Amino acid sequence: MDFDLTEEQQMTQKMVRDFAQSVIAPRAEEIDTSAAFPEDVFDELGKLGLMGIPFPEKYGGAGGDTITYTLAVEEIGRVCGSTGLSYAAAVSLGASPIFYFGTEQQKEKYLTPLAAGKKLGSFGLTEPDAGSDAGGTSTTAKLSGDSYIINGEKCFITNASYASTIIVTAVTGKDKKGKNIISAFIVPANTPGVTITSNYQKLGVRGSNTAAIVLEDVEIPADHLLGDPEKGFKQFLYTLDGGRISIAALSLGIAQASLDKALDYAKQRKQFGKLISSFQAIQFKLADMAMEIELARGMVRKAAWLKDHNRSFAKEAAFAKLFASETATRAANQAIQILGGYGYMQEYQVERYLRDAKLMEIGEGTSEIQRLVIARQLGC
Amino acid sequence: MNIYVLLKRTFDTEEKINIQQGKIDEDGAEFIINPYDEYAVEEAINQRDQHGGEVTVVTIGEEDSEKQLRTALAMGADKAVLINTEDDLEAGDQFTTARILEAYFEGKQPDLILAGNVAIDEASGQVGPRLAERLGMPYVTTITNLEIKGESADIERDVEGDVEKVQTSLPLLVTCQQGLNEPRYPSLPGIMKAKKKPLEELELDDLDLDEDDVEPKTKTIEVFLPPEKAAGRVLEGEVNDQVKELVSLLKTEAKVL
């Protein structure tokens, strides 16, 4: 048993922290208010090799592990939820499925530019009528000669407006029991028939790009099918399990930022002639925040460790995502309470943390879905 | 070119520093590469990329200093050397450091040695110049630009905000000032490669030095934090009276007049 991070993990953590604090943090407020995707920040993340942490060097990655990746997500999330979300989605959802399930050729052609940070990937699963019930996908892909013709609509897709490739799930047929067979496809974003629009006005993570995709007779070569044609559903469940670890790490970053801000404020703010950090009412809030954050961190690390050791991690990833996201919302909410009137003001940032944190309880599986995943793992 | 960087591991002065029994409490402190030495590492890498050769980063310290050396390797240095004095030395000063480095450089043929202008912990700024003196090579401190052409070096150095231009020859030791460059972040591939790069560990014995040879010439009598900054005072009343009061306060309270 060893709770210490390795030297590489510590170095990565420090490097990302330094970069996030000096380059992203000064931009966070503007990224939120203007709701503009910070493309230049992603260029920098790419140059630092952060877009390819968990992928092997031969595909343009850094050959790091999941733990290292979660450290990076946490540090970015600590300064900017929007950047953190787009980062986590690009790596865990845009690139990882190609790494997990792609052929050698697909990896070379499509994973390499993503891992090297030259292009951005996106993952189109959710549909207007298929959210938590992803099995209810109605987008279809029909084989016609050497091509698939895809028709349908996707919504709430992170990074799609800036993506070079979108992994799209679609129904390709029915099995013997009459259930839909879902497959995944690598769709280059510039394929004719792909229309991407980004008109959402969001509560939080406003600088993270979110788009709707319409696919109209989109023709892609048959070899763009990703992984096993029969197991698209299982594949995206596995992808989401991995993604959950990163959303948990991102939540952890937001929660940590909330505690940092609240603690800092409590140690400076005087009321009734005393620092408010000397009042038990404030101390108890801070103590709860610190405790929950550390518990969440333990779970994130364990889930990542299990994944790195090729062990099953679905339950732990759900634990981590559920607990860390709810911790983030509570911590941000309490931070606002501790800062009082100031906390409600944009200038003090904690109101942004709360708006950003709320998404963590919804994206990549709502808290309710996490509980279902856990219950299923318990054998219910 | 044979390029060497003298690097020091220091505590981060931007973090809170605690003093316990006359010593800085290392438990809560954050440790970093001395920021001025980061300019030296960056410059060394740039010079190597321009002129070829190899960058070796040298530090004197303890086992823990390996982390800062690995960071320099991750930034792009080729080799690192840790002169570990943990078991041999109780205390050291600038003489100790310069003497050990002199022994280290014996038989080596450095073309360029780069160091930080000062270390942010003790800020003596002595090690670089003293080492150059001992090695009998020219040195230029607080440099903000370095152009090497063959055996000659055109240097700009910061002199209290002005620029002085100096021309000198290799082999050469320089100390680096803010403004020389913008140190890079170690990239992820750099971090992953750092572990495979050579890191040599030496002790005083390996340099044919005894403890006595490097015994410090100075003694640290006391270590203390600067006094807490008190709240400012705003004088009131007629301007003439304020001036009189200010002068009297500067004499009696601040004792600067």
Side-chain angles (χ1 to χ4, degrees):
Chain A
M1 193 76 204
D2 188 354
F3 281 101
D4 281 328
L5 296 172
T6 65
E7 215 166 50
E8 285 87 1
Q9 289 162 350
Q10 288 179 47
M11 270 200 265
T12 306
Q13 186 182 41
K14 179 165 185 335
M15 179 270 277
V16 183
R17 183 175 296 164
D18 289 348
F19 176 78
Q21 299 286 346
S22 57
V23 178
I24 307 176
R27 302 264 307 273
E29 194 179 316
E30 166 243 314
I31 289 171
D32 175 58
T33 49
S34 65
F37 179 75
E39 254 186 302
D40 56 324
V41 169
F42 279 83
D43 288 343
E44 295 292 319
L45 293 175
K47 283 182 201 151
L48 289 171
L50 293 173
M51 304 307 292
I53 293 183
F55 309 120
E57 283 170 48
K58 69 169 176 169
Y59 304 122
D65 55 15
T66 312
I67 291 182
T68 309
Y69 166 55
T70 63
L71 296 171
V73 176
E74 182 185 342
E75 291 302 330
I76 295 171
R78 201 168 157 188
V79 301
C80 179
S82 293
T83 308
L85 180 69
S86 278
Y87 172 60
V91 177
S92 288
L93 303 183
S96 289
I98 306 177
F99 174 58
Y100 298 147
F101 311 116
T103 61
E104 197 57 35
Q105 255 179 341
Q106 288 172 339
K107 286 183 202 179
E108 254 170 47
K109 184 161 180 201
Y110 292 110
L111 175 59
T112 307
L114 302 182
K118 299 208 166 84
K119 289 186 172 152
L120 221 52
S122 189
F123 183 67
L125 170 66
T126 302
E127 299 185 358
D129 296 321
S132 294
D133 176 20
T137 296
S138 60
T139 296
T140 56
K142 291 206 166 74
L143 191 60
S144 150
D146 282 343
S147 305
Y148 276 99
I149 312 289
I150 305 177
N151 278 289
E153 199 179 329
K154 300 286 177 181
C155 65
F156 308 149
I157 308 305
T158 305
N159 296 340
S161 306
Y162 295 86
S164 63
T165 49
I166 303 159
I167 296 162
V168 171
T169 52
V171 177
T172 44
K174 288 198 187 298
D175 66 11
K176 286 172 205 152
K177 292 178 202 155
K179 273 177 83 180
N180 281 341
I181 298 171
I182 296 176
S183 311
F185 299 90
I186 302 172
V187 179
N190 58 6
T191 312
V194 176
T195 312
I196 302 168
T197 49
S198 172
N199 291 321
Y200 299 115
Q201 291 295 329
K202 288 177 293 182
L203 173 72
V205 289
R206 293 169 49 78
S208 174
N209 174 259
T210 313
I213 305 171
V214 176
L215 303 130
E216 223 178 336
D217 293 328
V218 173
E219 185 177 347
I220 53 160
D223 65 2
H224 281 42
L225 183 97
L226 180 62
D228 189 319
E230 306 275 312
K231 290 183 181 152
F233 191 76
K234 269 202 167 153
Q235 287 176 17
F236 74 65
L237 287 185
Y238 182 84
T239 302
L240 288 180
D241 286 340
R244 278 167 194 152
I245 301 177
S246 70
I247 296 301
L250 174 54
S251 306
L252 197 52
I254 298 172
Q256 184 66 51
S258 304
L259 173 61
D260 294 344
K261 279 273 174 349
L263 182 60
D264 207 42
Y265 181 85
K267 284 169 146 180
Q268 289 178 32
R269 172 73 168 175
K270 274 188 181 159
Q271 288 290 274
F272 308 104
K274 283 181 181 167
L275 289 174
I276 64 168
S277 62
S278 67
F279 300 140
Q280 285 193 338
I282 302 295
Q283 290 176 351
F284 288 179
K285 286 186 199 299
L286 292 168
D288 283 345
M289 287 159 84
M291 173 185 68
E292 288 186 24
I293 289 167
E294 200 53 33
L295 292 175
R297 186 170 286 124
M299 204 63 238
V300 172
R301 299 264 167 89
K302 184 174 177 188
W305 182 90
L306 286 168
K307 183 168 191 288
D308 284 334
H309 287 78
N310 295 320
R311 309 254 285 266
S312 62
F313 61 94
K315 184 173 69 180
E316 289 76 8
F319 282 161
K321 201 260 186 189
L322 173 60
F323 188 69
S325 61
E326 296 194 352
T327 291
T329 302
R330 274 193 296 270
N333 200 23
Q334 291 295 19
I336 295 176
Q337 196 65 19
I338 291 170
L339 270 75
Y342 292 109
Y344 203 70
M345 301 299 156
Q346 189 186 52
E347 191 188 344
Y348 286 78
Q349 310 208 22
V350 286
E351 60 86 32
R352 185 181 84 231
Y353 298 164
L354 181 61
R355 289 186 286 109
D356 288 351
K358 189 61 201 172
L359 187 269
M360 308 303 136
E361 295 180 47
I362 298 169
E364 300 195 34
T366 60
S367 285
E368 292 67 30
I369 291 294
Q370 304 309 315
R371 290 182 168 90
L372 286 181
V373 169
I374 296 164
R376 202 163 292 153
Q377 293 285 331
L378 295 176
C380 297
Chain B
M1 265 204 307
N2 234 340
I3 306 172
Y4 289 84
V5 178
L6 312 181
L7 180 144
K8 186 176 188 180
R9 166 184 189 260
T10 62
F11 47 81
D12 190 346
T13 50
E14 286 183 15
E15 301 282 327
K16 192 169 165 47
I17 292 166
N18 291 313
I19 293 190
Q20 296 240 325
Q21 290 154 355
K23 274 191 171 173
I24 289 166
D25 183 14
E26 298 204 345
D27 265 356
E30 274 287 318
F31 285 89
I32 54 171
I33 296 178
N34 173 40
Y36 291 98
D37 300 349
E38 275 189 352
Y39 300 128
V41 174
E42 177 69 28
E43 193 60 26
I45 294 166
N46 289 337
Q47 294 294 342
R48 178 205 59 199
D49 290 348
Q50 241 180 73
H51 304 287
E54 204 172 56
V55 175
T56 307
V57 183
V58 187
T59 197
I60 299 174
E62 307 172 354
E63 205 65 53
D64 289 340
S65 311
E66 199 183 307
K67 205 165 140 195
Q68 280 68 37
L69 288 177
R70 289 276 179 218
T71 304
L73 292 173
M75 285 171 75
D78 302 291
K79 295 198 292 195
V81 177
L82 167 62
I83 303 172
N84 192 338
T85 57
E86 198 166 1
D87 299 331
D88 295 330
L89 296 182
E90 289 269 314
D93 64 2
Q94 294 77 19
F95 166 78
T96 313
T97 306
R99 182 72 190 84
I100 294 172
L101 288 171
E102 180 191 8
Y104 169 75
F105 278 105
E106 206 179 285
K108 301 206 166 42
Q109 273 162 354
D111 296 302
L112 179 65
I113 303 177
L114 300 110
N117 169 33
V118 289
I120 55 166
D121 51 2
E122 289 167 352
S124 79
Q126 288 191 28
V127 170
R130 287 175 85 146
L131 176 65
E133 212 43 65
R134 286 176 171 274
L135 298 178
M137 61 168 69
Y139 68 88
V140 182
T141 58
T142 59
I143 72 160
T144 53
N145 195 36
L146 174 63
E147 301 272 345
I148 293 173
K149 287 176 206 123
E151 293 295 294
S152 97
D154 287 321
I155 294 174
E156 288 178 12
R157 62 184 297 259
D158 171 39
V159 274
E160 304 288 332
D162 277 328
V163 178
E164 184 180 23
K165 292 186 175 181
V166 183
Q167 197 171 59
T168 182
S169 61
L170 303 185
L172 169 71
L173 185 147
V174 292
T175 74
C176 305
Q177 170 70 312
Q178 192 173 9
L180 176 63
N181 53 42
E182 202 52 57
R184 70 193 68 193
Y185 296 98
S187 72
L188 246 291
I191 289 173
M192 294 305 176
K193 271 181 221 141
K195 202 174 188 173
K196 292 170 207 145
K197 291 183 178 177
L199 191 154
E200 185 185 10
E201 200 174 321
L202 301 171
E203 293 191 10
L204 288 190
D205 253 6
D206 303 311
L207 301 172
D208 286 329
L209 286 172
D210 283 332
E211 270 170 66
D212 298 346
D213 299 331
V214 296
E215 200 177 326
K217 303 285 190 193
T218 56
K219 268 189 192 144
T220 301
I221 310 295
E222 199 187 344
V223 176
F224 55 92
L225 293 171
E228 285 237 6
K229 208 174 165 194
R233 253 172 78 182
V234 178
L235 303 178
E236 279 169 20
E238 291 291 321
V239 173
N240 282 347
D241 297 338
Q242 285 190 39
V243 171
K244 274 181 202 157
E245 198 186 345
L246 176 64
V247 172
S248 114
L249 285 173
L250 287 173
K251 277 184 183 163
T252 55
E253 228 172 75
K255 295 187 173 126
V256 294
L257 289 181

